[in-house]
Amino acid sequence: MSVHPTSGPAVSSEPQPVDPLSPTVNPAELDALRSGCPVSRTERGWWYLARHDDVLAATEDIPGYRASFRDPGVVVPDEEQFINEIPEPRHGEIRRLINSAIATHRLTRVEPFCRELCGELLDAMRESGTANDLTPSYIEPIPNNVIARLLGAEPTDYPRWLAWSEELVRGTYPTQYRNERGAGLAGAHPEFTAYVDALIADRRAEPRDDFVTRLLDTVIEGRRLTDVEARTQLVFLFISGNETTRHLIGNLLYRLAADPGLFATLSADRSLIPAAVEESLRLDPPVRFLLRDCTEARAPRGVPIVTGDKVVFGIEPANRDPERFEAPTEFRLDRGPDSRRHLSFGGGPHVCPGALLARLEARVAVEELLTRATGMRLRDGHAFENVPTFWARGPQSVPVDISWR
């Protein structure tokens, strides 16, 4: 469903009463902002786009916007720019290499590993005979083990770089390129970079048939990546391969635990699981918003945005836009082709390269749970608590009681 209004609501260059970047903002407040002022200023002076059509158009506008979570004025050396920060055409060259690591033919080999892993984790939970918090026992290990397998790291090391990833994304490095320990990845997060540097050194000395070796061997724009460039992209993949997928799986399992009817429906018809994954992505996006720097003057809905302005793509309200989705606040399994028109993986040519992998992991996580459980419910008295990452949505914990088969 796509309806384009002939006249839009008001827009404003003044900060609105609702701060859409606040971790405590609720969906109703964002919906009111979308309908009342779809292009607005935040308290930080950044522009916020809240309509689906505006956000989609902006994600497709590569010349006009460049991804950056950095604070205005922060300059990052070329070697330490994450893939989403690198401009074209170099972005496309590195992206093609990353895509090769998670191409469809490789995912067919990952699924059996993911399924076996999920089974082992669930069997361990069942054997423990106690109520479980799904976050450490099931949700966290899945994406971390899968990305370790894809990148060639030791799966047993995942607790270490899980902790490093959380430290990085929840600290000041993503916005300021530094923290209290120093500047750059090596200065701000020396343990993480030392681990990745050791992987690189090992592959330099003894190449293997894995992603790290391919990353080091591939010629991009007439030259191979330096060790610092390779480290930067590997750190990005370690983070993105576990952080957002963990929130996707957590949000979906939280809904299953909170809604016995949904659990029963999916148990009766496993073919509906992919639709449940998409609805979870739409209503509970693991990434609440995307940050961009305006690189060419633009005027969405007639509002002048100039070069250098920070622009926020509001994924949350865009995913509930009634101009795009019928009954947008309802969790529905019958949306058909509309089910994938959410923007939780971004849009345009820079759509998240890990989308297929994230969907696979979430689907398998639910399938294996339904194979072993007849029911699941949230522990009495539990209330949703969001992770302490300002741009993310995901449950800090999912304490449940499970009825095993």
Side-chain angles (χ1 to χ4, degrees), residues 66-383:
R66 179 177 174 182
S68 176
F69 268 74
R70 312 295 182 180
D71 287 343
V74 172
V75 177
V76 179
D78 290 349
E79 283 190 310
E80 293 207 56
Q81 291 177 354
F82 290 142
I83 175 64
N84 60 330
E85 299 175 296
I86 297 173
E88 295 290 0
R90 188 167 177 76
H91 174 99
E93 295 290 332
I94 297 178
R95 183 186 179 90
R96 279 191 285 275
L97 180 59
I98 292 175
N99 286 345
S100 74
I102 49 180
T104 302
H105 71 281
R106 295 188 186 279
L107 295 189
T108 60
R109 298 200 293 268
V110 167
E111 181 166 344
F113 169 79
C114 183
R115 195 172 295 281
E116 181 180 0
L117 170 67
C118 289
E120 291 174 352
L121 294 169
L122 290 165
D123 290 344
M125 290 165 55
R126 176 167 51 187
E127 291 169 8
S128 70
T130 60
N132 296 277
D133 180 356
L134 292 180
T135 299
S137 57
Y138 193 53
I139 294 166
E140 288 178 351
I142 295 171
N144 281 281
N145 278 275
V146 169
I147 198 64
R149 185 175 181 86
L150 281 171
L151 297 184
E154 290 296 329
T156 52
D157 286 342
Y158 92 79
R160 299 166 64 194
W161 47 265
L162 169 62
W164 296 330
S165 296
E166 291 183 343
E167 176 189 278
L168 193 155
V169 300
R170 295 173 185 177
T172 59
Y173 177 83
T175 57
Q176 299 175 20
Y177 182 60
R178 65 178 304 116
N179 62 18
E180 68 281 357
R181 291 194 289 181
L185 273 173
H189 299 280
E191 298 86 2
F192 201 173
T193 53
Y195 179 88
V196 176
D197 285 348
L199 276 180
I200 293 171
D202 179 75
R203 297 313 190 271
R204 292 281 193 205
E206 187 177 344
R208 304 182 192 177
D209 181 19
D210 65 7
F211 176 76
V212 178
T213 301
R214 289 194 297 276
L215 183 70
L216 298 175
D217 286 348
T218 299
V219 176
I220 299 174
E221 294 183 340
R223 67 175 180 86
R224 289 180 170 85
L225 298 182
T226 67
D227 284 1
V228 173
E229 288 173 315
R231 170 217 287 164
T232 301
Q233 302 317 319
L234 285 169
V235 167
F236 176 81
L237 290 171
F238 274 121
I239 295 170
S240 58
N242 82 78
E243 186 77 18
T244 54
T245 304
R246 172 159 56 100
H247 302 325
L248 163 58
I249 297 172
N251 288 330
L252 180 54
L253 294 183
Y254 195 98
R255 275 196 177 267
L256 280 176
D259 186 348
L262 178 62
F263 190 102
T265 296
L266 298 184
S267 294
D269 187 352
R270 303 280 186 93
S271 70
L272 295 174
I273 294 175
V277 172
E278 299 306 323
E279 276 294 87
S280 179
L281 282 163
R282 186 183 68 83
L283 278 177
D284 305 312
V287 177
R288 299 173 51 221
F289 48 80
L290 302 173
L291 293 182
R292 298 289 188 266
D293 290 336
C294 180
T295 50
E296 293 182 3
R298 293 292 185 262
R301 298 189 182 268
V303 177
I305 296 178
V306 301
T307 300
D309 280 357
K310 183 71 75 173
V311 184
V312 187
F313 298 175
I315 302 299
E316 291 174 297
N319 280 355
R320 295 189 305 274
D321 192 337
E323 301 290 345
R324 171 57 68 186
F325 299 102
E326 183 180 353
T329 61
E330 297 178 11
F331 191 99
R332 292 176 52 169
L333 302 177
D334 61 350
R335 294 193 182 276
D338 272 351
S339 66
R340 287 200 176 196
R341 291 181 177 171
H342 59 77
L343 298 172
S344 293
F345 292 120
H350 288 185
V351 67
C352 174
L356 287 177
L357 178 60
R359 287 178 166 117
L360 181 153
E361 293 178 52
R363 171 177 59 81
V364 171
V366 174
E367 288 174 348
E368 292 303 306
L369 174 65
L370 296 180
T371 295
R372 290 165 173 78
T374 59
M376 179 175 70
R377 64 178 180 83
L378 284 173
R379 196 172 301 168
D380 291 343
H382 177 74

